[in-house]
């Protein structure tokens, strides 16, 4: 059924395009307009269908992804650094050449809209890109996570800032004496 | 044949095709007007078909309307006469005759969807010699 729908849409698009040019060549303006409208309608329909099909594929891919470790996500979220907002607006008062941002804001008068749009974009990016990136990083971290039964566990490792070579157990493990 | 040579050949063929295509399209679509003899006359026979036209509107009225509009397109005042014995065949005469581009334009206009519920089809388009003047000259 889908194949038939795609076929019909494709044939409609092609036929409308051909008839538009044929009508134009024959000086039939009203017919050309009609076929051009059919062409545009078929083109829009096909475009939307292609986008929806792609979205369905992406949705299926996302659904099949394994859920990231919630602990890793939490740790990443908690340690997320503060982002400096509107850094591009900050101007060094001693620098004259680089004041174009303020200049644009004042001259065009659309600086408010521009800033609002940038702020919105920034918020949107921080609420979509960061969690997404954290999810991906969480999944990657899962691959190098400690497995149970190792010689040195994560509690021991995390408790030490660096390897304590004076620890007799470590010296014994490394086979060194001093 | 090596790959670069094949690509070069393909490119040349492509450029040649585009040039020829543009030339053919230009010849097919370019308007070329020339003057015609004042005593020349073009007779166009059209078939008319009406579908669900408004009550009280005759097919001849609709044909009149469309042919008048098409006369404006080619800068002529067409003379319309119904073909004897029929009610959907008409003869449209324009004088002086039209050049080739105007003929295409007139045919396209007549066969276009200009008037609701009416469809015209051009049966023939022939030049006719004006008899009185031809006779006077002879």
């Amino acid at each position: 059924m889908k194949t038939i729908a795609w076929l019909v849409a494709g044939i409609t698009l092609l036929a409308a395009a051909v008839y538009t040019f044929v009508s134009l060549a024959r000086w039939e303006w009203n017919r050309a307009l009609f076929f051009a409208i059919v062409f545009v309608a078929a083109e829009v329909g096909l475009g939307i269908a292609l986008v929806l099909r792609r979205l369905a594929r992406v949705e299926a891919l996302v659904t099949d992804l394994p859920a990231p470790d919630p602990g890793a996500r939490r740790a990443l979220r908690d340690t997320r650094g503060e982002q400096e907002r509107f850094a591009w607006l900050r101007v060094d008062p001693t620098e004259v050449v680089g004041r174009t941002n303020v200049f644009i804001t004042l001259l065009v008068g659309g600086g408010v809209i521009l800033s609002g749009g940038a702020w919105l974009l920034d918020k949107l990016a921080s609420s979509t890109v960061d969690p997404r990136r954290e999810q991906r990083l969480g999944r990657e971290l899962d691959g190098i996570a400690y497995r149970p039964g190792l010689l040195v566990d994560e509690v021991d490792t995390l408790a030490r800032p660096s390897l304590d070579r004076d620890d007799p157990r470590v010296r014994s493990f490394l086979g060194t004496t001093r | 044949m090596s790959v670069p040579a094949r690509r070069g050949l393909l490119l040349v063929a492509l450029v040649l095709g585009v040039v020829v295509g543009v030339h053919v399209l230009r010849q097919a679509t370019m308007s070329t007007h020339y003057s015609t003899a004042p005593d020349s006359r073009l007779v166009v026979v059209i078939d008319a078909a009406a579908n669900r036209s408004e009550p009280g509107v005759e097919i001849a009225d609709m044909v009149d309307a469309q042919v008048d509009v098409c006369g404006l397109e080619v800068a002529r005042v067409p003379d319309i006469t119904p073909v004897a014995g029929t009610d959907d065949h008409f003869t449209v005469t324009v004088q002086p005759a039209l050049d080739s581009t105007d003929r295409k334009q007139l045919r396209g206009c007549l066969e276009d969807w200009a008037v609701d519920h009416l469809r015209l089809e051009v049966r023939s388009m022939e030049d006719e010699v004006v008899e009185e003047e031809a006779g006077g000259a002879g």
Side-chain angles (χ1 to χ4, degrees), chain A residues 19-35:
Chain A
Y19 272 106
T20 301
F21 280 104
V22 167
S23 300
L24 279 174
R26 289 180 179 170
W27 298 80
E28 297 167 349
W29 306 132
N30 292 304
R31 288 188 191 218
L33 281 173
F34 173 78
F35 289 123

Side-chain angles (χ1 to χ4, degrees), chain A residues 87-109:
Chain A
W88 57 276
L89 268 178
R90 194 159 296 118
V91 177
D92 183 2
T94 60
E95 188 194 10
V96 181
V97 181
R99 288 183 183 175
T100 50
N101 297 326
V102 179
F103 171 74
I104 290 169
T105 309
L106 291 176
L107 186 71
V108 180

